[in-house]
Each structure stands twice: as C-alpha cells, then as structure tokens.
Amino acid sequence: MDTSVRAARRVGTVRRHDWRQYAGRRQSTAPPPLLTARWVPPGESVRVHGHDLPDGMIFVGRADTKEPSCIDPDLAVGGPVDDRRDLGFWPSYETITPAERAAYLRWLSAGRRTPDVSIGYVFLFFYGLERRVVQDRYTDQDVWAEVPLIESEVRALLEVYGEQPPFRRYATAFLDLLELIAAPNRPSPDEFVVPERGEQRWPPPMTIRRALSAHVVHGRPIPAAWALAWAWHGADVDWAAPTARWGEFEEHFASHYQEQYGEGRVLRPTKRQLRVKYEPASEVLESTAFHRRELPEAFGRESRRELTEFVRSTIDDFQPSSQSTTYAAAVAFVELAMALSGKDGLADLAAAALRLDEAERAKLDAHIRSLAGDLGKVGVAGGLAELSATLRATVGELLIQAAATGRLVLPRQISELLASYTRLGLDPATVPRLLQGSLTGRQHPTAWKVQKPARDPVVVRKRDWAKDDYLLPKPEHVVVPRPPKKKPAYKPLDTALIQAKLAETATVSALLHDIFTEEPEPEQPAPQAAAPPTEPVASVAGLDAAHSALLRALAARPTWSRDEFDGLAGQHGLLPAGALDVLNEAALETADDLVLLGDDDLELDPDVLQELLS
C-alpha cells in the first residue's frame, strides 16, 4: 500500500488543505497502477487531430495501462460517424473505430453538452474523471484542488444526460464521493439548504447526510424539513398518500413534528462516520471506500427506527382536508383517462392515490359505468378550476400511469395526454420525459407507490353470462408445454467435501445410536477435579461468544480462503455458511456494510471490522 495512504489513516484531524485526508482506501492491497499519459487539468485546452478540446479534464498520451478514456494521438482518426450510434458496453478510445474516435473528439470540442449523443461517449469521458479521483488521489496532491471542479462538471453532465438510467446511477453515486471528499471538517448547519424531493435511494444523498451531521456536531436540533428529507429516503413506509398531496403533507408533518420535538430533535453523534463506498463505472478501476472521521452519521439504528415509526404514525393521521375536492379530482382523472386507456383499473389508481373512502369509491365506480354507457362525456372533465395546483399535478401523474399501463403508447394517446396537460394547466412539454420514465420503470420524483396487495380474493373480470368463455376444457384436452430440459453443467466431485460429509454422517449416526440404544447402568466413575473455568469472550457488536471469537480470529489476517474460513468456523463450533451470514448481518446493522466480501477468497473490510471491534 502507498505510504501516503498509511499516513492518511494515521491522521486524526488534518488541515483542510492537506490532501492526505482525502486518500481513501482501495479494495485491493496492490499498489495503484501508474499512468504516464498526461492529465490535462481543468481550464487547459489541447489540440488532437485538428480538434481543439477546451477545458481539459482528459488524459492524453500513450497509456502504459488499459485506461479506456486515454486519448492516444497516435491512433488513427477518420471521418466522424453519427454520434447517436451505440458504442456498446464499456467503450475504450483504443478499441472504438477511427470514425467513432472522430465523433468523440467532435463531442469534446463542442463542450461536452451536445444532447442526443450515444451515452457511450459520455461514459468514455466519465471514466477519466473517475480515474483522476479514485486512483490519482494516491499520488497527486493537485487532485484536491480539482475535486470541486470535477463535481461541477458531473452535475452539468447530469443536467443533460441524467435521463439515461445507467449514467444517472453512476454519476449520482460519484457525486456522493466527490462531495464527501471536498467537505470541510466542521460545516455550519446554516450552510445547507433543504433539497427538493428527488428520486428515492439508499443511502440518502450526501447533501442530506452532511447537513444532519453538521446539526449533530454543533448540538443543534434537527428541524422538521431536514427530518422529512432524510425520511423520504430512509424510512420504509408507504408514501402513496403523502406523494399525492405533498405540499399538504409537509405542513401536516411539520405540525406533528413540532408537537413531538418542539424546535427539533436533538441527536447525539453516533460511532459511525460518514462513509461512501463507490463502485466505478470503468471496468479497469476497483471499488473504493472513503470516510471522514470528524463527520459522524446522524442516525443510528434506534434513532432511525424511532423516526420511521413517527413518519408511519404521521401518515396514518394524514387525512384529506376536503374529501369532496379529492373526489372531484378522481372524477376529472377517470373522465380524462378513459380517452387514453379505457376504464379498467382507473378506480383503483384514483382510490389509492387520493385515499377515497368506501362511499366515494362506490360513487366513482357508478360514475365510470355511466361514462361507459355515454362516451360523449369522456374527456370532458368539468370542474378543473376547483382543483388546487397540487391535485391537478396529481391528476397529471395518474394520467401518465394510466397511459403507460400497456407498456405501448400510441400516437393518439400522446395527443390526448398533451391536450389533458394543457387543460390541467400543466406543462405539456414534460409529457415525453415523464412517459419515458414510467415506461422504463424509473420512478418519477413525485410518483406514488402502488398500493399494497389485496388480502381478499380480487375479481379480475366479471363473467358475462351470455358467453361460455369461462368453461374449463376437459383434462384430456389440456396440453401443457414443458420447457426443454437443460443439460446440467458438469461439475467435478469434491472428494474432500464428500469425505467431510461422510464423517459428519458417521458422527450423527453414533449420536443417535447413543440416544436410542438402551445400555446397562454405567459404573460410577471416581470423582475428578473440576476443570478450571474458561475465560469469557467479550461480545462483539451484540454477537454471541462463538461468533465474537470467530470475528476476532479473522481479524488476524486481511484475506482468508474459503477452506480456511470453513475450518476456522468449525474450530469455533459453527457452520461456515451460517457464520458468514451472521457476521455480515451484524456488520450491516452496525456499519451499513459487509465485513466479509468475496466468493472463493474472503476479504475483510478493515473499516467495517474496526467499527465492529470498537
């Protein structure tokens, strides 16, 4: 391991501009491979094959390692092709065609913001940013000054290409790493602004975690807005009703929160530090973990559980302020939606999102039946002026869900959606983006979750007694196609494992024989001196004595083969597979991460291990 990394781990608190505090840990113990190609820093331009590439942030030169982002000027560049053509998975500047290299250089020279290009070009540039932060921070102190600029670049890329789910996932996780690296040691809670409600993810965004950590470090109560921001991502509750009327729920939550906690909830610092584990998109980089000793996590297990229960009870108490208004929104929705996708399932969507009671649900069902008999009313949707902006937005979201039900949206349906959004006073330009997100499975930030499964039998379709389409065929007419059997892959027998299983079988058989076989009364043995009492093993992270002893034994080495782990578990009287699960479950409870990683070889995560043993 690089000496600078060891030094960084020994440092308790360091000056803000001491770059060594940002030297996080690689998963591998091998030294970082060197890259002799030149890193063009932010703000510097370079010319490659007639293309002026502004603002740097790229590697240029001949790479000694297989760095996919490195632009080698010696490689041929042809005429540019259509830059919307897919580059495939894990593109590399070396392996793409000369024409694709020309398209990539053209994209870079245009400022890296051209929309509708293949996301492969964006990833190719992104790999270089990952390399600079994940790898070069071990050897180059200039990385520290560049991190805020790289962070701004990634945010700008997300603005343009964030609709692509793979890039959005990697870029968002990378931003968490960048933000934690660049964070000051003791930020003031007043420096943070509560972010808008976004796509739910775990762990919560680093901005939220840092803000709550600042409140804890300074002994400040956590306001309702920050508690709700964390709960949106961290509380496992049903958010269907709140998301349908989020503005009203925010006020409702703040009122209940003030009744319960006054100015806010005061938390003590936990033993866990803010930590990021990042899996790079680049296939040549290994995962990296980084933590800040001086920035604790705000919520531990108990406080997180308490907040979740508080949110759940607050949602249970949340009732529509005007049932007649929410019913009007339901009526408007079904009248507009029947022009999109028919009447099936509309009542379920409206009742779940708008929390209609039984009487209103029955009334809505009757209204849908009347619309089915008089199609002239479909699409009329009167009374829209009575709806609040929040309810009109809810109706718009429900229309998107209704249109996407069939996974195939016709041009006629898109036209109906555009017209409905215009009538609702919503921006019709957002329809394509919302519709694409719904069809591809992306949850829109203001989308509601599907209602819980029914506990009673559900009528899928009522029988039409005038038809005989429900008769079951006779058994002899039923032909059930069987899938072709797959030939099992050959796997050589493990003779050592077989011998071990036979030995276990013999032991169990002998034990059962001793239990069920009657034997004569044994002679009383002569009294012997009592064995000296054994030293009790201190419990680790709430584990029992055997698992605690096993974990302490594992701490002697950073890696263990699977056979070595199995043998060590057996020495402590534990089944290997079960012991591995127990240790990792304890690690997840304590550090939100696994302590043992790998399949054939098991690697100990030193940060998680230290937290377990502390």
Side-chain angles (χ1 to χ4, degrees):
M1 182 181 296
D2 192 282
T3 56
S4 63
V5 180
R6 294 195 184 98
R9 291 188 183 171
R10 291 196 299 266
V11 176
T13 57
V14 290
R15 298 187 304 274
R16 174 174 177 176
H17 293 286
D18 186 347
W19 71 277
R20 292 177 302 171
Q21 68 173 317
Y22 305 106
R25 180 188 59 80
R26 295 176 70 245
Q27 290 297 94
S28 173
T29 57
L34 298 177
L35 182 64
T36 57
R38 185 172 78 92
W39 164 257
V40 182
E44 182 177 323
S45 298
V46 65
R47 187 174 180 83
V48 178
H49 282 281
H51 294 271
D52 291 321
L53 311 182
D55 202 23
M57 299 194 193
I58 53 177
F59 287 99
V60 177
R62 180 172 295 176
D64 292 341
T65 61
K66 296 296 183 180
E67 169 54 42
S69 70
C70 186
I71 300 174
D72 188 345
D74 293 339
L75 295 177
V77 173
V81 295
D82 184 359
D83 54 15
R84 293 172 296 180
R85 190 170 68 180
D86 186 21
L87 292 183
F89 293 104
W90 295 294
S92 168
Y93 187 84
E94 180 183 8
T95 58
I96 60 177
T97 66
E100 289 168 340
R101 294 188 195 117
Y104 178 56
L105 295 175
R106 182 178 62 184
W107 177 75
L108 291 175
S109 64
R112 306 187 291 257
R113 302 292 185 269
T114 307
D116 300 328
V117 301
S118 168
I119 198 64
Y121 293 109
V122 184
F123 268 116
L124 196 54
F125 171 71
F126 184 73
Y127 295 157
L129 302 182
E130 287 184 321
R131 173 94 190 191
R132 184 61 175 164
V133 176
V134 172
Q135 210 72 305
D136 288 1
R137 73 170 188 264
Y138 291 97
T139 56
D140 191 345
Q141 61 182 0
D142 292 336
V143 173
W144 152 244
E146 296 171 354
V147 164
L149 301 175
I150 294 176
E151 180 182 350
S152 298
E153 177 68 18
V154 175
R155 293 189 186 279
L157 291 173
L158 267 175
E159 287 292 326
V160 181
Y161 307 107
E163 293 299 321
Q164 299 284 345
F167 180 73
R168 182 176 68 251
R169 180 168 66 87
Y170 281 109
T172 302
F174 192 45
L175 282 175
D176 282 348
L177 175 64
L178 295 171
E179 186 174 343
L180 185 59
I181 289 176
N185 290 343
R186 286 181 60 87
S188 169
D190 300 328
E191 298 178 11
F192 297 91
V193 177
V194 180
E196 295 184 2
R197 180 169 55 99
E199 187 176 11
Q200 287 177 310
R201 63 188 181 95
W202 179 260
M206 182 54 64
T207 299
I208 297 176
R209 295 167 64 190
R210 286 184 54 226
L212 295 179
S213 177
H215 282 81
V216 169
V217 169
H218 290 272
R220 299 263 292 270
I222 297 177
W226 279 114
L228 182 57
W230 188 95
W232 169 247
H233 299 277
D236 184 15
V237 298
D238 185 358
W239 291 98
T243 51
R245 296 160 39 240
W246 187 256
E248 296 176 42
F249 179 75
E250 284 182 310
E251 298 178 359
H252 177 76
F253 180 89
S255 176
H256 279 234
Y257 191 84
Q258 184 177 10
E259 292 177 3
Q260 181 77 14
Y261 301 109
E263 294 183 358
R265 189 179 180 192
V266 179
L267 297 175
R268 293 183 302 175
T270 65
K271 295 181 179 180
R272 297 169 49 225
Q273 301 93 18
L274 289 183
R275 184 173 186 268
V276 170
K277 187 172 185 179
Y278 180 63
E279 299 285 346
S282 173
E283 63 177 343
V284 303
L285 296 178
E286 298 181 13
S287 60
T288 184
F290 181 85
H291 67 275
R292 295 287 297 273
R293 295 184 179 91
E294 68 280 4
L295 300 179
E297 286 278 10
F299 284 98
R301 281 180 294 175
E302 293 301 322
S303 54
R304 184 166 61 193
R305 185 178 299 113
E306 180 182 341
L307 178 59
T308 299
E309 291 302 321
F310 174 79
V311 173
R312 185 175 289 114
S313 64
T314 305
I315 292 176
D316 291 339
D317 294 338
F318 182 55
Q319 296 296 333
S321 58
S322 175
Q323 286 293 97
S324 59
T325 304
T326 54
Y327 177 74
V331 170
F333 162 64
V334 298
E335 290 181 355
L336 294 171
M338 284 184 68
L340 290 171
S341 58
K343 62 186 179 65
D344 293 340
L346 298 183
D348 292 335
L349 294 178
L354 298 169
R355 302 193 71 175
L356 303 181
D357 58 30
E358 293 182 3
E360 289 171 327
R361 170 60 188 267
K363 186 177 177 182
L364 185 63
D365 287 334
H367 184 64
I368 292 175
R369 288 193 295 270
S370 68
L371 290 175
D374 185 3
L375 296 180
K377 297 180 181 179
V378 173
V380 175
L384 294 181
E386 302 175 5
L387 304 181
S388 65
T390 302
L391 286 176
R392 280 186 275 115
T394 301
V395 172
E397 294 169 7
L398 291 175
L399 289 173
I400 294 292
Q401 293 289 331
T405 300
R407 312 301 293 179
L408 179 63
V409 182
L410 301 176
R412 175 188 60 81
Q413 293 175 297
I414 297 179
S415 299
E416 292 286 351
L417 277 174
L418 295 174
S420 297
Y421 262 59
T422 301
R423 296 191 59 194
L424 288 167
L426 304 175
D427 184 5
T430 62
V431 168
R433 175 174 58 85
L434 299 177
L435 193 56
Q436 180 186 12
S438 183
L439 288 171
T440 56
R442 176 189 174 193
Q443 185 185 27
H444 185 254
T446 55
W448 44 272
K449 292 184 178 179
V450 179
Q451 63 190 54
K452 296 180 179 178
R455 297 182 178 179
D456 299 322
V458 177
V459 177
V460 178
R461 180 161 62 95
K462 292 185 178 181
R463 174 175 179 176
D464 186 350
W465 293 97
K467 300 180 180 179
D468 288 332
D469 57 347
Y470 281 82
L471 295 178
L472 296 176
K474 294 182 180 180
E476 58 267 25
H477 295 159
V478 177
V479 179
V480 180
R482 296 181 178 271
K485 293 185 177 180
K486 295 183 178 179
K487 185 177 180 180
Y490 172 75
K491 185 177 182 181
L493 296 177
D494 189 336
T495 56
L497 180 61
I498 293 174
Q499 293 298 329
K501 294 299 181 183
L502 290 175
E504 292 178 5
T505 303
T507 303
V508 174
S509 299
L511 178 62
L512 294 176
H513 181 271
D514 293 340
I515 294 175
F516 292 102
T517 302
E518 295 183 0
E519 296 183 355
E521 288 286 337
E523 297 181 2
Q524 294 294 331
Q528 299 179 355
T534 59
E535 185 74 16
V537 179
S539 175
V540 175
L543 295 169
D544 58 24
H547 288 91
S548 298
L550 174 60
L551 184 61
R552 293 184 185 278
L554 291 170
R557 285 164 42 190
T559 59
W560 296 79
S561 70
R562 178 66 71 164
D563 291 339
E564 291 173 334
F565 175 82
D566 293 352
L568 192 60
Q571 293 176 18
H572 290 81
L574 299 171
L575 295 176
L580 182 61
D581 290 341
V582 170
L583 294 181
N584 276 332
E585 287 175 3
L588 287 172
E589 286 291 325
T590 304
D592 277 342
D593 210 340
L594 302 179
V595 67
L596 285 165
L597 305 170
D599 295 320
D600 296 332
D601 293 323
L602 295 176
E603 180 182 355
L604 282 165
D605 187 314
D607 294 328
V608 178
L609 178 64
Q610 181 182 2
E611 193 164 344
L612 285 171
L613 296 178
S614 62

PDB file of all heavy atoms in Angstrom, residues 119-132:
ATOM      1  N   ILE A 119     -24.768   7.506 -25.219  1.00  0.00           N
ATOM      2  CA  ILE A 119     -24.297   7.658 -23.840  1.00  0.00           C
ATOM      3  C   ILE A 119     -22.914   7.050 -23.668  1.00  0.00           C
ATOM      4  O   ILE A 119     -22.201   7.352 -22.705  1.00  0.00           O
ATOM      5  CB  ILE A 119     -25.306   7.013 -22.860  1.00  0.00           C
ATOM      6  CG1 ILE A 119     -25.095   7.537 -21.430  1.00  0.00           C
ATOM      7  CG2 ILE A 119     -25.218   5.495 -22.914  1.00  0.00           C
ATOM      8  CD1 ILE A 119     -25.356   9.003 -21.281  1.00  0.00           C
ATOM      9  N   GLY A 120     -22.488   6.220 -24.637  1.00  0.00           N
ATOM     10  CA  GLY A 120     -21.144   5.660 -24.569  1.00  0.00           C
ATOM     11  C   GLY A 120     -20.067   6.724 -24.620  1.00  0.00           C
ATOM     12  O   GLY A 120     -19.017   6.596 -23.966  1.00  0.00           O
ATOM     13  N   TYR A 121     -20.265   7.804 -25.390  1.00  0.00           N
ATOM     14  CA  TYR A 121     -19.290   8.898 -25.444  1.00  0.00           C
ATOM     15  C   TYR A 121     -19.202   9.604 -24.088  1.00  0.00           C
ATOM     16  O   TYR A 121     -18.117  10.004 -23.655  1.00  0.00           O
ATOM     17  CB  TYR A 121     -19.674   9.897 -26.525  1.00  0.00           C
ATOM     18  CG  TYR A 121     -19.570   9.348 -27.923  1.00  0.00           C
ATOM     19  CD1 TYR A 121     -20.713   9.078 -28.672  1.00  0.00           C
ATOM     20  CD2 TYR A 121     -18.336   9.082 -28.498  1.00  0.00           C
ATOM     21  CE1 TYR A 121     -20.627   8.564 -29.962  1.00  0.00           C
ATOM     22  CE2 TYR A 121     -18.229   8.565 -29.782  1.00  0.00           C
ATOM     23  CZ  TYR A 121     -19.385   8.302 -30.509  1.00  0.00           C
ATOM     24  OH  TYR A 121     -19.293   7.786 -31.772  1.00  0.00           O
ATOM     25  N   VAL A 122     -20.345   9.755 -23.431  1.00  0.00           N
ATOM     26  CA  VAL A 122     -20.360  10.396 -22.113  1.00  0.00           C
ATOM     27  C   VAL A 122     -19.619   9.530 -21.109  1.00  0.00           C
ATOM     28  O   VAL A 122     -18.827  10.021 -20.292  1.00  0.00           O
ATOM     29  CB  VAL A 122     -21.808  10.660 -21.664  1.00  0.00           C
ATOM     30  CG1 VAL A 122     -21.835  11.415 -20.345  1.00  0.00           C
ATOM     31  CG2 VAL A 122     -22.577  11.427 -22.726  1.00  0.00           C
ATOM     32  N   PHE A 123     -19.854   8.218 -21.155  1.00  0.00           N
ATOM     33  CA  PHE A 123     -19.148   7.316 -20.242  1.00  0.00           C
ATOM     34  C   PHE A 123     -17.643   7.323 -20.512  1.00  0.00           C
ATOM     35  O   PHE A 123     -16.842   7.246 -19.574  1.00  0.00           O
ATOM     36  CB  PHE A 123     -19.697   5.899 -20.371  1.00  0.00           C
ATOM     37  CG  PHE A 123     -20.803   5.584 -19.404  1.00  0.00           C
ATOM     38  CD1 PHE A 123     -22.078   5.307 -19.851  1.00  0.00           C
ATOM     39  CD2 PHE A 123     -20.569   5.561 -18.038  1.00  0.00           C
ATOM     40  CE1 PHE A 123     -23.099   5.010 -18.971  1.00  0.00           C
ATOM     41  CE2 PHE A 123     -21.583   5.275 -17.140  1.00  0.00           C
ATOM     42  CZ  PHE A 123     -22.858   5.001 -17.605  1.00  0.00           C
ATOM     43  N   LEU A 124     -17.257   7.399 -21.764  1.00  0.00           N
ATOM     44  CA  LEU A 124     -15.841   7.407 -22.108  1.00  0.00           C
ATOM     45  C   LEU A 124     -15.128   8.583 -21.441  1.00  0.00           C
ATOM     46  O   LEU A 124     -14.017   8.449 -20.909  1.00  0.00           O
ATOM     47  CB  LEU A 124     -15.690   7.474 -23.626  1.00  0.00           C
ATOM     48  CG  LEU A 124     -14.325   7.128 -24.233  1.00  0.00           C
ATOM     49  CD1 LEU A 124     -13.865   5.757 -23.762  1.00  0.00           C
ATOM     50  CD2 LEU A 124     -14.409   7.180 -25.746  1.00  0.00           C
ATOM     51  N   PHE A 125     -15.756   9.746 -21.450  1.00  0.00           N
ATOM     52  CA  PHE A 125     -15.207  10.909 -20.753  1.00  0.00           C
ATOM     53  C   PHE A 125     -15.298  10.735 -19.236  1.00  0.00           C
ATOM     54  O   PHE A 125     -14.371  11.094 -18.492  1.00  0.00           O
ATOM     55  CB  PHE A 125     -15.970  12.161 -21.196  1.00  0.00           C
ATOM     56  CG  PHE A 125     -15.648  13.393 -20.401  1.00  0.00           C
ATOM     57  CD1 PHE A 125     -14.420  14.023 -20.523  1.00  0.00           C
ATOM     58  CD2 PHE A 125     -16.578  13.925 -19.519  1.00  0.00           C
ATOM     59  CE1 PHE A 125     -14.125  15.165 -19.793  1.00  0.00           C
ATOM     60  CE2 PHE A 125     -16.295  15.064 -18.789  1.00  0.00           C
ATOM     61  CZ  PHE A 125     -15.067  15.682 -18.922  1.00  0.00           C
ATOM     62  N   PHE A 126     -16.400  10.158 -18.775  1.00  0.00           N
ATOM     63  CA  PHE A 126     -16.631   9.964 -17.344  1.00  0.00           C
ATOM     64  C   PHE A 126     -15.583   9.042 -16.727  1.00  0.00           C
ATOM     65  O   PHE A 126     -15.172   9.223 -15.576  1.00  0.00           O
ATOM     66  CB  PHE A 126     -18.037   9.406 -17.148  1.00  0.00           C
ATOM     67  CG  PHE A 126     -18.461   9.247 -15.718  1.00  0.00           C
ATOM     68  CD1 PHE A 126     -18.778  10.342 -14.947  1.00  0.00           C
ATOM     69  CD2 PHE A 126     -18.560   7.991 -15.141  1.00  0.00           C
ATOM     70  CE1 PHE A 126     -19.184  10.199 -13.626  1.00  0.00           C
ATOM     71  CE2 PHE A 126     -18.969   7.831 -13.832  1.00  0.00           C
ATOM     72  CZ  PHE A 126     -19.280   8.940 -13.076  1.00  0.00           C
ATOM     73  N   TYR A 127     -15.127   8.037 -17.488  1.00  0.00           N
ATOM     74  CA  TYR A 127     -14.100   7.133 -16.976  1.00  0.00           C
ATOM     75  C   TYR A 127     -12.847   7.902 -16.560  1.00  0.00           C
ATOM     76  O   TYR A 127     -12.187   7.551 -15.567  1.00  0.00           O
ATOM     77  CB  TYR A 127     -13.706   6.105 -18.043  1.00  0.00           C
ATOM     78  CG  TYR A 127     -14.791   5.146 -18.444  1.00  0.00           C
ATOM     79  CD1 TYR A 127     -14.753   4.507 -19.681  1.00  0.00           C
ATOM     80  CD2 TYR A 127     -15.861   4.858 -17.600  1.00  0.00           C
ATOM     81  CE1 TYR A 127     -15.735   3.622 -20.070  1.00  0.00           C
ATOM     82  CE2 TYR A 127     -16.855   3.974 -17.979  1.00  0.00           C
ATOM     83  CZ  TYR A 127     -16.790   3.353 -19.227  1.00  0.00           C
ATOM     84  OH  TYR A 127     -17.770   2.485 -19.609  1.00  0.00           O
ATOM     85  N   GLY A 128     -12.480   8.923 -17.315  1.00  0.00           N
ATOM     86  CA  GLY A 128     -11.302   9.708 -16.969  1.00  0.00           C
ATOM     87  C   GLY A 128     -11.479  10.470 -15.675  1.00  0.00           C
ATOM     88  O   GLY A 128     -10.536  10.586 -14.875  1.00  0.00           O
ATOM     89  N   LEU A 129     -12.672  11.019 -15.439  1.00  0.00           N
ATOM     90  CA  LEU A 129     -12.940  11.706 -14.177  1.00  0.00           C
ATOM     91  C   LEU A 129     -12.845  10.734 -13.003  1.00  0.00           C
ATOM     92  O   LEU A 129     -12.301  11.075 -11.942  1.00  0.00           O
ATOM     93  CB  LEU A 129     -14.334  12.349 -14.220  1.00  0.00           C
ATOM     94  CG  LEU A 129     -14.596  13.356 -15.354  1.00  0.00           C
ATOM     95  CD1 LEU A 129     -16.006  13.925 -15.225  1.00  0.00           C
ATOM     96  CD2 LEU A 129     -13.559  14.471 -15.349  1.00  0.00           C
ATOM     97  N   GLU A 130     -13.390   9.526 -13.208  1.00  0.00           N
ATOM     98  CA  GLU A 130     -13.275   8.516 -12.153  1.00  0.00           C
ATOM     99  C   GLU A 130     -11.808   8.207 -11.862  1.00  0.00           C
ATOM    100  O   GLU A 130     -11.394   8.133 -10.698  1.00  0.00           O
ATOM    101  CB  GLU A 130     -13.991   7.237 -12.581  1.00  0.00           C
ATOM    102  CG  GLU A 130     -15.499   7.299 -12.559  1.00  0.00           C
ATOM    103  CD  GLU A 130     -16.115   5.961 -12.898  1.00  0.00           C
ATOM    104  OE1 GLU A 130     -15.590   5.260 -13.800  1.00  0.00           O
ATOM    105  OE2 GLU A 130     -17.116   5.592 -12.271  1.00  0.00           O
ATOM    106  N   ARG A 131     -11.041   8.004 -12.919  1.00  0.00           N
ATOM    107  CA  ARG A 131      -9.621   7.675 -12.754  1.00  0.00           C
ATOM    108  C   ARG A 131      -8.897   8.753 -11.962  1.00  0.00           C
ATOM    109  O   ARG A 131      -8.087   8.455 -11.059  1.00  0.00           O
ATOM    110  CB  ARG A 131      -8.975   7.531 -14.130  1.00  0.00           C
ATOM    111  CG  ARG A 131      -7.465   7.354 -14.092  1.00  0.00           C
ATOM    112  CD  ARG A 131      -7.093   5.922 -14.114  1.00  0.00           C
ATOM    113  NE  ARG A 131      -5.689   5.721 -13.849  1.00  0.00           N
ATOM    114  CZ  ARG A 131      -5.080   4.562 -14.023  1.00  0.00           C
ATOM    115  NH1 ARG A 131      -5.755   3.530 -14.489  1.00  0.00           N
ATOM    116  NH2 ARG A 131      -3.805   4.417 -13.734  1.00  0.00           N
ATOM    117  N   ARG A 132      -9.167  10.004 -12.289  1.00  0.00           N
ATOM    118  CA  ARG A 132      -8.477  11.103 -11.630  1.00  0.00           C
ATOM    119  C   ARG A 132      -8.740  11.114 -10.124  1.00  0.00           C
ATOM    120  O   ARG A 132      -7.827  11.351  -9.324  1.00  0.00           O
ATOM    121  CB  ARG A 132      -8.923  12.428 -12.249  1.00  0.00           C
ATOM    122  CG  ARG A 132      -8.198  13.662 -11.720  1.00  0.00           C
ATOM    123  CD  ARG A 132      -6.719  13.604 -11.992  1.00  0.00           C
ATOM    124  NE  ARG A 132      -6.047  14.837 -11.591  1.00  0.00           N
ATOM    125  CZ  ARG A 132      -4.742  14.928 -11.429  1.00  0.00           C
ATOM    126  NH1 ARG A 132      -3.974  13.865 -11.629  1.00  0.00           N
ATOM    127  NH2 ARG A 132      -4.190  16.074 -11.073  1.00  0.00           N
TER     128      ARG A 132
END
